Amino acid sequence: MSVSQIKTLSLACTLAMAFAGTAGAQDLPIIHDKAWAAEKCQRYRAAWDELMARDGQQGLTADFLASHDRFMATGCIARADVCPSTDREMELANQLSIAAMNAGTASTFLPFACRD
């Protein structure tokens, strides 16, 4: 196989992988399952409550707690942008992420984001 053929094959594979996940995505319906959303929030809240009972709120900033409270108050559906800014907050965000994934939620469910 020549170098030119290898480059062409490599480009073709790259393009195929790039578009494989999007093919037909526009044809898929958007599913809004309120029962599952409520179940995910309940599972997440249980993990939060367990971690708070075990470790408390020491090391968590007022902004982190307020943003997280807003997320929980909406049934875990609003974009809350809970931004971990301390080591303790990052540790908690990681623990909650693992707990959420173990409970069957997707990573897009989590409220953790730092947009500034």
Side-chain angles (χ1 to χ4, degrees):
M1 187 176 274
S2 72
V3 172
S4 177
Q5 289 173 321
I6 292 172
K7 287 181 180 178
T8 302
L9 181 59
S10 176
L11 177 60
C13 289
T14 300
L15 290 173
M17 289 187 308
F19 291 107
T22 61
Q26 66 275 12
D27 299 328
L28 297 175
I30 296 174
I31 299 171
H32 298 283
D33 186 343
K34 292 181 182 181
W36 176 232
E39 177 66 24
K40 288 189 294 187
C41 190
Q42 180 182 347
R43 292 176 186 188
Y44 180 85
R45 185 181 304 274
W48 170 266
D49 291 344
E50 180 180 326
L51 289 167
M52 289 299 100
R54 188 185 74 196
D55 301 329
Q57 294 183 357
Q58 185 175 356
L60 305 177
T61 62
D63 187 48
F64 181 89
L65 291 169
S67 297
H68 193 269
D69 286 346
R70 282 192 300 275
F71 173 69
M72 300 277 273
T74 66
C76 306
I77 58 173
R79 187 173 103 177
D81 291 352
V82 179
C83 180
S85 61
T86 67
D87 288 343
R88 171 69 176 107
E89 289 171 352
M90 184 59 77
E91 177 186 358
L92 178 60
N94 287 335
Q95 291 170 325
L96 288 166
S97 297
I98 291 168
M101 297 301 289
N102 286 341
T105 68
S107 60
T108 55
F109 167 80
L110 297 166
F112 306 111
C114 299
R115 301 191 194 277
D116 293 339

